Amino acid sequence: WIGDASGGFLRLIDQTRLPTECVEIDCLDSAAVWNAIKRLSVRGAPAIGVAAAYGAVIGARARGTDDPKAIRTALKEASAYLRTSRPTAVNLFWALDRMEAAADDPGRAPGSPLLERLLAEAEAIAAEDRAMCRAIGRHGAELLVPGDGVLTHCNAGGLATSDYGTALAVIFSAHEQGKSVHVFADETRPLLQGARLTAWELQNRGVPVTLICDNMAAQVMKERKIQKVVVGADRIAANGDTANKIGTYGVALLARAHGIPFYVAAPSSTFDLSLADGSGIPIEERDPLEITHGFGRRTAPEGVAVYNPAFDVTPAELITGIITERGVVQPVDAETIRSLIGDSNATR
Amino acid sequence: WIGDASGGFLRLIDQTRLPTECVEIDCLDSAAVWNAIKRLSVRGAPAIGVAAAYGAVIGARARGTDDPKAIRTALKEASAYLRTSRPTAVNLFWALDRMEAAADDPGRAPGSPLLERLLAEAEAIAAEDRAMCRAIGRHGAELLVPGDGVLTHCNAGGLATSDYGTALAVIFSAHEQGKSVHVFADETRPLLQGARLTAWELQNRGVPVTLICDNMAAQVMKERKIQKVVVGADRIAANGDTANKIGTYGVALLARAHGIPFYVAAPSSTFDLSLADGSGIPIEERDPLEITHGFGRRTAPEGVAVYNPAFDVTPAELITGIITERGVVQPVDAETIRSLIGDSNATR
């Protein structure tokens, strides 16, 4: 966030251009934030939540007045609009719920103008996100031992959060503690977040990483190069069923077949306790062109039918533990989740 | 093959250019055949065998004389050279063994000049390959029922053989019999043979096909859209362990987890009874650039480590049956294989 509540704006790295180009996008209205989320310029459940919170601040200014009533109306409109950007990651809805609640509650900055209170709430969401990353890193690093090979899928790193990630926080934290770990990064078709973003982040921080295609994970497991799997999450139901990037469910089945522990790393804001299990999680289907023209040129025959679900749901029974900022949910079941996370989604 | 034994040459479709361009390559010397195999202009275990057989004919002419002794020497040199093109598919070695044996055995065309006998042997290998495809199609089609969703991985179609394939022969044959089947084609990273070749072949023959990324197979299985998996093979050990395109082992584990029958379709020439199990099958590792620059532009950070095995081995216990031109090996074990295939590799 650059500037103050009344004139500031949101500056994002355009993740679709990494790692070959590092281009920033300045979002001056809520449509720009909506587009950045929709187009995956900003992605990763926690980062989407933070971006949406700032987007709500920008949207709340849309009527160009200081009148609190007009600001509240504009905020509600912007929030409703931003909610339509992507369906699966619950952090989007969680953050916008918080922003709407903050508009009616002077708690965080009593006496301040409403816009400043809204910006303060968005800043608080971002700050909590940074603290969350560090706490997840600490809890998760305890699960790794020196020499571990760790497989991860998609990108749950610094680019997906306000600090250094969820799944990757576990790895970065272990690395900082001097535990030598070697990461295998699934490239993660169709949009190659693993190749473009995860490999890049790990390389930048000096963590040894080997890039593989998604379909090589089973072979690498068979060769006993993987001791742990750690992935992020986009939405976790009350029983622990976890939506994450397409391919995660397959990785979990392969880990089970090889006797490899499978961990999910996610903040409490990624839990959706309103859903009893994963069957209620909406799964986004994305443009077939991501598969047929994903690299700037056509790689499939014209007119071919394509199925492109962006997420899948891994059932709780395949998950060894869920690493949250409050500790590790283990075993993964409704009772353990309720006792650790139970009150976190109070605004929903 | 265009022309006669002494002046003819091998004409191939360059599969690396499909489906956007259909370009032919004329191989006038054994180096051209070696390159076509190495670069995957021709690929698929049976097609590699056929191409190598014709390459041996071309190589046998290298001394530019009709002297049988010089031809035999040149043949042996060309054969030794062609054997270095790719390590995994056993059909390459099987076909070259046959060509070398034919040079010493006037059986197939007694009295003819040696070069003509060699061409006749290569033509016989190609003709047997065509008959093999049809027989595999017949045997395999009996395993499918109308309405089946069939998942396949990589390309085991017409482009991988002299006729209409092994795994895809099963599907084409069922389709010709009026059994409605719907195919899900894994795109098959890194070289996208599924997207580029399998989807194209199925589309050309009017078989309904949906393209997915490799990491979507588990989700499609979970949605109960897949009733059978059918893949090809590059080498099958005496106990049924099967080397095939990287990712096949993972698909087999996913099929097992979902209770879906997993079939391999391959001719008897793909069996290597000299290997007790799959641990002895050499696995080719290919250029990291296939993963990091697979689409004409860089999709991973510079200098990242890459692991790029081109094949994996699926253990026999995950394979429901192996569809050969002689019938279906089921159960998949050394005894059943010996009784059905036992005498086919006599030249090895």
Side-chain angles (χ1 to χ4, degrees), chain A residues 5 50 121 172 216:
Chain A
V50 173
E121 185 70 15
F172 292 140
M216 297 168 186

Side-chain angles (χ1 to χ4, degrees), chain B residues 1-14:
Chain B
W1 183 263
I2 313 288
D4 63 13
S6 57
F9 58 91
L10 179 63
R11 178 167 286 170
L12 297 165
I13 292 175
D14 183 354

Side-chain angles (χ1 to χ4, degrees), chain A residues 95-183:
Chain A
L96 292 169
D97 285 344
R98 268 186 66 165
M99 294 303 293
E100 291 191 47
D104 299 324
D105 170 15
R108 199 172 294 276
S112 303
L114 179 52
L115 265 184
E116 287 180 24
R117 279 172 28 218
L118 290 174
L119 179 58
E121 185 70 15
E123 301 278 18
I125 288 173
E128 289 166 29
D129 193 59
R130 287 190 287 276
M132 168 280 285
C133 291
R134 298 286 155 169
I136 285 179
R138 271 197 311 279
H139 292 302
E142 291 174 24
L143 300 168
L144 302 186
V145 297
D148 269 354
V150 180
L151 178 75
T152 191
H153 186 74
C154 197
N155 174 268
L159 293 163
T161 61
S162 304
D163 188 37
Y164 73 173
T166 55
L168 292 194
V170 172
I171 289 157
F172 292 140
S173 182
H175 182 73
E176 286 162 11
Q177 292 171 16
K179 285 180 182 170
S180 63
V181 294
H182 188 109
V183 179

Side-chain angles (χ1 to χ4, degrees), chain A residues 187 189 223 249 258 307, chain B residues 187 189 223 249 258 307 313:
Chain A
E187 64 172 8
R189 280 282 285 153
E223 294 175 13
Y249 167 57
H258 292 90
Y307 180 45
Chain B
E187 65 171 7
R189 279 284 285 155
E223 295 175 12
Y249 167 56
H258 292 90
Y307 180 46
V313 175

Side-chain angles (χ1 to χ4, degrees), chain B residues 27-326:
Chain B
C27 299
L28 307 174
D29 55 32
S30 57
V33 178
W34 189 94
N35 269 313
I37 296 173
K38 180 77 176 178
R39 287 189 56 252
L40 313 193
S41 297
V42 59
R43 44 145 297 285
I48 290 172
V50 172
Y54 285 117
V57 177
I58 296 169
R61 302 184 313 218
R63 310 242 156 164
T65 159
D66 286 342
D67 172 47
K69 208 176 148 203
I71 290 174
R72 282 196 184 87
T73 303
L75 171 70
K76 280 197 165 53
E77 288 168 356
S79 175
Y81 169 59
L82 290 167
R83 284 169 200 268
T84 65
S85 57
R86 294 190 73 194
T88 303
V90 77
N91 309 61
L92 171 67
F93 310 104
W94 168 88
L96 291 168
D97 285 345
R98 269 187 65 164
M99 293 304 292
E100 291 191 48
D104 298 324
D105 169 16
R108 200 174 292 276
S112 304
L114 180 51
L115 265 184
E116 288 181 22
R117 278 174 27 223
L118 290 175
L119 180 58
E121 185 70 14
E123 302 276 19
I125 288 172
E128 290 167 28
D129 193 60
R130 287 189 288 276
M132 167 282 284
C133 291
R134 297 286 155 169
I136 285 180
R138 270 196 312 279
H139 293 302
E142 292 174 22
L143 301 168
L144 302 186
V145 298
D148 268 355
V150 180
L151 179 75
T152 190
H153 187 73
C154 198
N155 174 268
L159 293 163
T161 61
S162 305
D163 188 37
Y164 72 175
T166 54
L168 292 194
V170 173
I171 289 157
F172 292 142
S173 182
H175 182 73
E176 286 162 10
Q177 292 171 16
K179 286 181 182 170
S180 62
V181 292
H182 188 109
V183 179
F184 286 84
D186 278 349
E187 65 171 7
T188 317
R189 279 284 285 155
L191 296 180
L192 302 175
Q193 292 91 340
R196 295 189 300 105
L197 310 178
T198 297
W200 182 75
E201 285 195 41
L202 289 163
Q203 215 181 28
N204 286 349
R205 286 180 181 264
V207 180
V209 54
T210 299
L211 177 64
I212 59 172
C213 296
D214 301 299
N215 63 21
M216 297 169 187
Q219 176 63 20
V220 177
M221 289 181 184
K222 193 185 196 187
E223 295 175 12
R224 300 180 188 279
K225 291 175 179 163
I226 308 289
Q227 281 69 47
K228 311 274 159 58
V229 177
V230 187
V231 299
D234 289 84
R235 194 186 299 214
I236 304 173
N239 73 339
D241 290 354
T242 295
N244 190 45
K245 177 57 53 195
I246 185 72
T248 303
Y249 167 56
V251 171
L253 285 172
L254 298 177
R256 169 64 53 95
H258 292 90
I260 297 168
F262 179 93
Y263 293 101
V264 170
S268 53
S269 54
T270 299
F271 286 78
D272 180 354
L273 302 184
S274 74
L275 298 177
D277 60 45
S279 63
I281 301 177
I283 298 297
E284 178 182 12
E285 267 192 64
R286 292 185 62 89
D287 192 330
L289 292 180
E290 291 184 349
I291 295 180
T292 57
H293 295 67
F295 304 89
R297 76 173 204 229
R298 187 154 58 84
T299 56
E302 276 187 77
V304 71
V306 170
Y307 180 46
N308 186 16
F311 302 93
D312 57 28
V313 175
T314 300
E317 61 263 28
L318 294 176
I319 303 171
T320 309
I322 303 177
I323 306 159
T324 80
E325 78 277 23
R326 302 180 186 186

